[in-house]
Amino acid sequence: MDQNTKIIELRNISKSFNGEQVLKGINLDIHDKEFITLLGPSGCGKTTTLRIIGGFVTPDAGDVCFLGEKINSLPPYKRKVNTVFQKYALFPHLDVFENVAFGLRLVKTPEKEIVSRVREMLALVNLSGFEARSVDLLSGGQQQRVAIARALVNNPKVLLLDEPLGALDLKLRKEMQFELKKIQQRLGITFVYVTHDQEEALTMSDTVVVMNGGIIQQIGTPQDIYNEPVNAFTASFIGESNIVPGIMHADYLVEFEGRNYECVDMGFDKDEPVEVVVRPEDIEITPASAEFLCGTVTAVTFKGVHYEMLVECLGKTWRVHSTDFSPVGSEIGLRITPEDIHIMHRSPESSQTASDSEEGGEEN
Amino acid sequence: MIKLNAKWASYPYIVWMILFTVLPLLLIIYFAFTDRTGAFTFDNIEQAAAYLPTLVKSIYLAAIATVICLVFAYPFAYAMSRLSFSRQKMMTMLVMLPMWMNFLLRTYAWQALLEDNGVINSLLTSIGLSPLKLINTSGAVVLGMVYNYIPYMILPLYSVMTKIDKSLVEAAGDLGAGFFATFRRVVLPLSMPGIISGTTMVFVPAVSTFVISGMLGGAENYLIGDLIEAQFLGNSYDLNCGSATSLLLMVVVLITMAIFNRLDSEDAEEALL
């Protein structure tokens, strides 16, 4: 098997709960040794997708394939995948060792092998010496590690992780992100990771699957997802964005906010209405001049690495991240270079989402 | 300001316990070891020891009833704990409903059903079958115990099972455990506290019952409870001997429960290894 082997395929998966459709025709290929992240807001269907792969939920329509074989109705205990549950789901009546050994005991592994493999896994997650501890006496981070060891000891082909770091504090979360990635690379198995945290998704993944409303919005590398969002939802969910309507006059030429800008996008219809995405950190502030789009600073927040400024230009609020400081009330120009401009096709749905999320952004 | 954790908040309960638990117990002990003149004696204990066969029979019947309750209640409580919340509430009501009816009345009803000319036998003869000997058998006593005490088995089991996180069952399945392995390695050990409190709550009243055995068991099923009743209220009035018998019963029940609990926890551990 190599990295091009499709280990799991989802074909036209639909699922409803109590008449509410949570998945609307999901198509997804998961390759061997890949770190793939399902990313989206709560209720987008990412956890349901994971549970379908794990076998806890049966899809209403569509197929789940494992190495080309249909496994729609195969119960979880017969699948070669293991899950790290959101709240860890450690067995409270067993100590750390027995929790990790659980899967090995079920297949009647010799005691000697159990001991060596459990030790090996606990070493992998930095919990050597915790064998006899009660799981109730562990910290959240330690419980998390036991859950990972308990799943990995069974040598799964695929490890499913359902928001595993959600309950940890920021510092621990960062450490665990790094460690999980390291473990994944060392063991060379496929990780399917569910999160609503875009930063986590971008940091760890080989592939990010952006989901919203039971539909996959975009599949791509973290760089693709961030730099070339295909619609306003992705653009506004991944990182922060200024999204404005524009008109694509020709290849490499777009008009928005009453000005023509050179850009790097092509292949649109002549004068096609489009959506223009500009990341706040890509905008450079300059003294106001007729050369640039100009506006008044209405708010400044210190964010540590940079200042976040809201700039009112032609009745529209632009979000700008810059290490340069401009006081509230000052007139500034916004310099936007061709590489900073990302053009997206406009769809009725995406423009709707865009304005929704923009409103949400301004309230903050 | 009133503090909820203030020490004095427990005083009324301590007074209550002293008045109605500790003091009566001391009285029982006093009567058990004295004769009618108040002099110290072992005679009562010796006399009570002669009732050992009756005590053994009581323990035997109560143990059978407890096992039957457990066997029926366990799957029922498990199924109940997996229902939707509103259904669970309805089922709890149905389980508790008979408990709101008078205990004596319920046992009378069984008497009417099981009698030689009772409902069941009338039904059997009317369809041409020969009548059965139902009333005044050990079976009738066990039936009465099961019927009356099974809610005390179901409720603690149910309350423990609702607390078993569904994700633990899923996790067991995920790690390769099928239905039986999940039951044996996860559900059973986690429901052990319910099993222990359920068996205690059924066994203890069953072993000392006198109503059920008196109404359904007849002379052949004279149990330790009947004996104690007769010594305190009945024709063989003997306060001292009755106290000694009660004390004996209490000690035997405590020992039985201790052994049972011990076995239980060992079983649980063995099941996991």
Side-chain angles (χ1 to χ4, degrees):
Chain A
M1 274 196 305
D2 59 53
Q3 306 224 348
N4 293 321
T5 313
K6 286 179 194 168
I7 193 155
I8 288 170
E9 293 163 74
L10 301 181
R11 294 275 160 269
N12 277 316
I13 300 280
S14 294
K15 181 71 193 174
S16 299
F17 289 117
N18 303 323
E20 196 188 332
Q21 201 173 6
V22 290
L23 293 179
K24 300 167 186 166
I26 297 290
N27 282 294
L28 181 62
D29 292 339
I30 297 171
H31 298 95
D32 196 32
K33 298 182 174 54
E34 184 177 34
F35 196 123
I36 187 166
T37 300
L38 308 180
L39 172 68
S42 53
C44 72
K46 57 192 191 297
T47 294
T48 305
T49 307
L50 195 79
R51 288 173 64 79
I52 284 173
I53 299 172
F56 303 111
V57 173
T58 316
D60 297 338
D63 288 327
V64 188
C65 298
F66 187 83
L67 291 172
E69 205 176 315
K70 198 171 137 180
I71 56 163
N72 283 22
S73 51
L74 200 67
Y77 69 93
K78 289 187 179 163
R79 297 192 182 197
K80 285 194 172 50
V81 301
N82 284 117
T83 308
V84 176
F85 290 85
Q86 197 166 7
K87 301 229 166 63
Y88 320 141
L90 299 179
F91 302 119
H93 58 297
L94 301 177
D95 62 16
V96 169
F97 183 94
E98 287 302 324
N99 261 282
V100 178
F102 193 90
L104 297 177
R105 294 214 184 280
L106 286 169
V107 290
K108 309 257 177 287
T109 315
E111 189 64 29
K112 250 184 151 175
E113 198 188 329
I114 291 181
V115 172
S116 73
R117 276 176 64 188
V118 170
R119 291 249 162 90
E120 187 191 336
M121 278 305 139
L122 288 176
L124 182 78
V125 298
N126 285 324
L127 277 183
S128 295
F130 283 71
E131 284 85 350
R133 293 276 186 101
S134 155
V135 292
D136 289 332
L137 300 178
L138 300 180
S139 71
Q142 290 166 338
Q143 291 189 9
Q144 176 64 72
R145 289 158 193 267
V146 176
I148 292 164
R150 184 180 69 173
L152 287 176
V153 80
N154 306 296
N155 289 328
K157 290 257 192 290
V158 179
L159 185 70
L160 309 177
L161 302 105
D162 186 5
E163 308 224 14
L165 309 183
L168 306 181
D169 64 56
L170 184 67
K171 188 162 174 287
L172 203 53
R173 206 155 65 214
K174 298 257 184 205
E175 275 172 37
M176 283 304 289
Q177 285 175 12
F178 178 71
E179 268 187 62
L180 274 174
K181 184 73 189 169
K182 215 170 65 183
I183 289 170
Q184 189 256 343
Q185 282 166 343
R186 192 160 131 202
L187 299 180
I189 61 175
T190 308
F191 274 34
V192 184
Y193 193 97
V194 160
T195 184
H196 62 266
D197 182 335
Q198 43 109 356
E199 194 229 313
E200 205 164 279
L202 296 178
T203 314
M204 304 168 78
S205 320
D206 299 316
T207 306
V208 178
V209 179
V210 183
M211 293 181 71
N212 189 37
I215 295 169
I216 292 180
Q217 305 288 328
Q218 187 169 2
I219 303 177
T221 64
Q223 290 84 353
D224 288 346
I225 299 279
Y226 191 85
N227 293 331
E228 301 298 331
V230 295
N231 60 32
F233 175 80
T234 309
S236 55
F237 192 74
I238 315 288
E240 287 178 279
S241 302
N242 298 292
I243 303 175
V244 292
I247 294 164
M248 200 68 184
H249 286 307
D251 284 351
Y252 314 118
L253 182 65
V254 63
E255 183 199 327
F256 60 90
E257 301 298 293
R259 289 166 177 273
N260 282 329
Y261 286 88
E262 213 183 298
C263 65
V264 293
D265 297 80
M266 56 165 286
F268 291 82
D269 294 340
K270 188 171 159 49
D271 293 331
E272 182 183 332
V274 291
E275 238 136 9
V276 181
V277 176
V278 185
R279 297 286 183 186
E281 68 273 22
D282 289 340
I283 299 173
E284 195 187 325
I285 61 172
T286 63
S289 88
E291 204 185 330
F292 307 113
L293 183 65
C294 294
T296 315
V297 178
T298 57
V300 180
T301 317
F302 179 59
K303 294 278 190 181
V305 180
H306 58 77
Y307 294 96
E308 176 172 276
M309 282 165 277
L310 298 182
V311 185
E312 185 98 7
C313 307
L314 306 170
K316 199 164 165 11
T317 304
W318 287 73
R319 196 180 293 270
V320 180
H321 291 172
S322 172
T323 49
D324 298 330
F325 172 77
S326 272
V328 172
S330 59
E331 283 281 316
I332 55 169
L334 307 180
R335 188 220 282 276
I336 300 166
T337 59
E339 299 77 44
D340 303 337
I341 296 169
H342 310 289
I343 310 290
M344 301 179 304
H345 290 284
R346 192 184 294 186
S347 65
E349 194 197 355
S350 70
S351 61
Q352 180 63 38
T353 326
S355 61
D356 281 354
S357 57
E358 198 106 67
E359 278 163 25
E362 277 174 5
E363 276 163 20
N364 287 335
Chain B
M1 217 175 92
I2 297 170
K3 284 185 194 158
L4 272 178
N5 60 358
K7 239 186 194 167
W8 54 260
S10 66
Y11 290 173
Y13 303 100
I14 291 172
V15 170
W16 175 275
M17 298 263 277
I18 288 171
L19 276 181
F20 299 107
T21 307
V22 179
L23 217 57
L25 202 62
L26 290 174
L27 274 177
I28 294 268
I29 293 169
Y30 170 77
F31 284 125
F33 288 100
T34 51
D35 60 20
R36 285 184 191 208
T37 61
F40 180 81
T41 176
F42 277 117
D43 288 355
N44 303 317
I45 300 292
E46 272 170 39
Q47 211 180 325
Y51 302 134
L52 212 61
T54 313
L55 184 59
V56 169
K57 176 148 197 182
S58 306
I59 291 172
Y60 175 66
L61 292 186
I64 291 176
T66 307
V67 170
I68 294 174
C69 280
L70 182 61
V71 167
F72 279 104
Y74 196 94
F76 181 80
Y78 184 74
M80 206 168 124
S81 72
R82 305 286 122 170
L83 292 174
S84 69
F85 185 67
S86 56
R87 291 256 171 94
Q88 282 186 29
K89 279 212 303 206
M90 201 181 76
M91 292 302 282
T92 316
M93 283 277 291
L94 285 175
V95 169
M96 293 204 300
L97 206 58
M99 292 161 74
W100 297 345
M101 206 94 70
N102 184 282
F103 184 88
L104 274 175
L105 194 70
R106 275 182 283 157
T107 312
Y108 269 125
W110 273 111
Q111 207 174 22
L113 284 170
L114 300 175
E115 265 169 353
D116 290 342
N117 300 315
V119 177
I120 293 172
N121 277 328
S122 311
L123 216 68
L124 286 175
T125 42
S126 73
I127 56 168
L129 294 169
S130 55
L132 297 171
K133 176 73 188 150
L134 298 171
I135 196 82
N136 298 345
T137 59
S138 301
V141 176
V142 171
L143 176 73
M145 288 173 174
V146 170
Y147 179 77
N148 279 309
Y149 298 128
I150 201 165
Y152 300 100
M153 183 67 88
I154 294 173
L155 294 177
L157 282 174
Y158 161 73
S159 105
V160 161
M161 282 169 181
T162 47
K163 289 193 198 89
I164 298 178
D165 193 341
K166 271 185 195 166
S167 68
L168 294 179
V169 175
E170 281 188 354
D174 185 74
L175 295 166
F179 179 81
F180 290 106
T182 303
F183 175 76
R184 199 167 72 86
R185 287 168 184 270
V186 178
V187 179
L188 185 64
L190 288 176
S191 55
M192 215 32 110
I195 293 176
I196 289 171
S197 68
T199 44
T200 310
M201 285 170 76
V202 171
F203 180 77
V204 172
V207 79
S208 58
T209 184
F210 59 93
V211 175
I212 296 170
S213 49
M215 287 164 94
L216 303 175
E220 288 155 42
N221 292 287
Y222 195 68
L223 299 186
I224 199 79
D226 301 291
L227 204 100
I228 295 169
E229 192 211 9
Q231 283 168 337
F232 279 98
L233 303 168
N235 35 24
S236 52
Y237 181 80
D238 184 343
L239 198 72
N240 301 91
C241 192
S243 299
T245 317
S246 302
L247 204 62
L248 189 70
L249 174 64
M250 202 181 88
V251 170
V252 170
V253 166
L254 283 177
I255 292 171
T256 317
M257 291 315 302
I259 294 171
F260 184 74
N261 286 2
R262 187 79 167 271
L263 280 180
D264 252 1
S265 51
E266 274 169 21
D267 270 355
E269 273 160 36
E270 269 164 33
L272 303 170
L273 297 177

